[in-house]
Amino acid sequence: MLAEAASDPDRSTAVTLFWIAVAAVAAPLVARLTRRYVPEVVVLLILGMVFGPHVLAVGDPDSVAAVSQLGLGMLFLLAGFELDPHILRGKPGALAGGIWLLSLLIATIAVALLVAPGDFTAHVAIAIAMTSTALGTLLPIIKADGLLEQPLGRAVMAHGAVGELGPILAMSLLLTSRNIGGAAIVLALFAVAALVLFALPRRVGRIPALRAALVEMEGGTFQLPVRVVVVLLAAFMAVAAVFDLDVVLGAFAAGIALRRLLPEDTRVVESLEVIGFGLLIPVFFVTSGMNIDPSAVASAPMLWVILVVGIGVARGVPVWVGERLVTHEASLRVGRERISLALYAATGLPIIVAVTQVATSSDLMSPTLASTLVAAGATTVLVFPLAARLIARKDSTAASAVS
């Protein structure tokens, strides 16, 4: 009955939301049963693929496209909020940036050599996807393992921040219909508009009556600060869209601005996490899974394996080499930690999903390749952090035995 109802446009949205809600409830339970060795985001993608038009066909991702877009924006707003500018300062930040550029160069050359001749922009789209780091996905993992305040955790944050910011900027510069010079000018204009949007809330927030209203209406049925943040997110995403840039850039910029605007003791971020991780972000990941064609992935299993290995080599190997050869105040001294860092840095999914969406809508990437690339990204989330945790655990066990 639900499958038949999903074919009716008037009922499609409600039925699709029902299956998304089922997936959102089931995913953390499955992750808990596996002791988090299978991350929740992977379960969301798999369930979305099962419910989607390519398998059971009980859900239509197009019917909830607006909600999914808002979920994408919320995901990168929270990722931008987690970006601490202090992490990117000094030699560690410069090293992380240089390593990411090297990763992009290696991935672009590898794709050009391995993939059939075609548009250079299409090759760059694949390369950008292969060099991302899923910092938002990794953050709960390293927090749960108590690594955040350790050298390994700080190194993951540095490379993860660059691994999110670099691809977002590269998408805006390279995956457009303009030449690079024109895209750079548009990006600069967006930066000016973003600075205006950044300054406006601070100036308006100094008005005593408005500040009193924000404090008075913080809870209850008003939730005024949360609504203001949603307006800020929508404004940055709208400005990015007006400049014909990807909305991911606007959402990420909104998160960076939000970090500077909010006081440290605010509870707004907790409310945003409830809205984001409780509703909007699961919608994004489930609908992304609905767009995966498992038959396309199964028809080219070697391509899937090559992409997984390619992501590990293009992103992980430069990180490992850089940490081994370049010494700085936050260098990792233990070999196993450097291997773990490389595996964490090569874990990518949200930006892979975003890049494939942009590339397929611009006819830079076929749906088959996009499905396989997203499946490869999901595999990195499933395998690489698990391997990194096992290596780190083995190292800590050996250290305990020695002591």
Side-chain angles (χ1 to χ4, degrees):
M1 290 175 60
L2 289 173
E4 184 179 353
S7 63
D8 186 344
D10 295 333
R11 303 176 183 175
S12 180
T13 300
V15 173
T16 301
L17 285 174
F18 167 76
W19 288 113
I20 290 174
V22 170
V25 171
L29 297 176
V30 173
R32 185 175 183 270
L33 286 174
T34 63
R35 297 182 181 180
R36 289 169 151 197
Y37 287 120
V38 178
E40 177 190 356
V41 64
V42 174
V43 181
L44 288 172
L45 283 170
I46 293 174
L47 291 177
M49 181 178 64
V50 172
F51 296 150
H54 300 291
V55 182
L56 297 181
V58 294
D60 178 16
D62 294 333
S63 65
V64 292
V67 183
S68 177
Q69 189 82 335
L70 189 56
L72 174 66
M74 186 64 71
L75 176 66
F76 282 95
L77 176 134
L78 293 172
F81 183 82
E82 292 291 347
L83 177 60
D84 185 355
H86 295 288
I87 294 177
L88 301 180
R89 293 175 184 171
K91 199 169 183 178
L95 176 62
I99 287 174
W100 181 81
L101 290 174
L102 178 61
S103 297
L104 182 62
L105 177 62
I106 292 172
T108 304
I109 294 173
V111 171
L113 293 175
L114 296 175
V115 179
D119 187 3
F120 172 75
T121 307
H123 293 166
V124 171
I126 303 172
I128 291 173
M130 293 174 64
T131 58
S132 65
T133 301
L135 180 59
T137 305
L138 290 173
L139 193 60
I141 296 174
I142 62 176
K143 275 185 176 180
D145 292 343
L147 298 175
L148 198 56
E149 299 302 324
Q150 297 182 15
L152 176 58
R154 290 192 290 269
V156 171
M157 291 296 294
H159 287 280
V162 174
E164 283 200 331
L165 182 59
I168 289 172
L169 293 176
M171 285 170 60
S172 302
L173 280 172
L174 302 175
L175 302 188
T176 67
S177 58
R178 310 180 187 90
N179 57 44
I180 295 180
I185 293 174
V186 170
L187 196 60
L189 292 174
F190 169 79
V192 173
L195 289 174
V196 173
L197 287 175
F198 171 72
L200 186 60
R202 276 196 165 183
R203 293 184 177 275
V204 174
R206 293 173 182 171
I207 301 174
L210 180 58
R211 293 180 65 180
L214 288 171
V215 173
E216 181 181 341
M217 299 181 177
E218 182 178 7
T221 60
F222 299 107
Q223 299 292 332
L224 184 59
V226 175
R227 299 186 189 190
V228 171
V229 172
V230 173
V231 170
L232 181 69
L233 171 62
F236 272 93
M237 292 175 68
V239 169
V242 167
F243 283 106
D244 197 22
L245 299 170
D246 194 82
V247 295
V248 168
L249 177 62
F252 200 77
I256 296 174
L258 186 63
R259 185 183 182 92
R260 297 286 303 273
L261 292 171
L262 290 181
E264 293 183 1
D265 59 347
T266 184
R267 291 180 291 180
V268 174
V269 177
E270 295 179 7
S271 300
L272 291 174
E273 288 179 342
V274 170
I275 297 170
F277 292 110
L279 172 63
L280 297 176
I281 294 173
V283 172
F284 165 67
F285 279 116
V286 174
T287 54
S288 299
M290 288 180 178
N291 291 316
I292 297 176
D293 184 357
S295 62
V297 179
S299 65
M302 283 306 300
L303 176 60
W304 168 61
V305 174
I306 289 172
L307 287 173
V308 173
V309 175
I311 291 171
V313 172
R315 182 68 179 128
V317 172
V319 170
W320 178 79
V321 173
E323 285 292 328
R324 183 179 176 86
L325 297 182
V326 181
T327 303
H328 53 87
E329 64 274 15
S331 293
L332 298 178
R333 309 295 182 186
V334 181
R336 290 184 184 274
E337 288 188 339
R338 290 194 289 264
I339 296 174
S340 296
L341 173 62
L343 289 167
Y344 281 128
T347 302
L349 183 60
I351 291 180
I352 292 178
V353 174
V355 169
T356 53
Q357 287 182 352
V358 173
T360 51
S361 64
S362 304
D363 294 326
L364 296 174
M365 187 181 298
S366 67
T368 298
L369 178 58
S371 294
T372 309
L373 191 52
V374 172
T379 305
T380 66
V381 174
L382 179 63
V383 175
F384 290 173
L386 173 59
R389 293 169 72 186
L390 291 176
I391 290 172
R393 184 173 299 176
K394 185 176 180 180
D395 187 49
S396 61
T397 302
S400 300
V402 172
S403 60

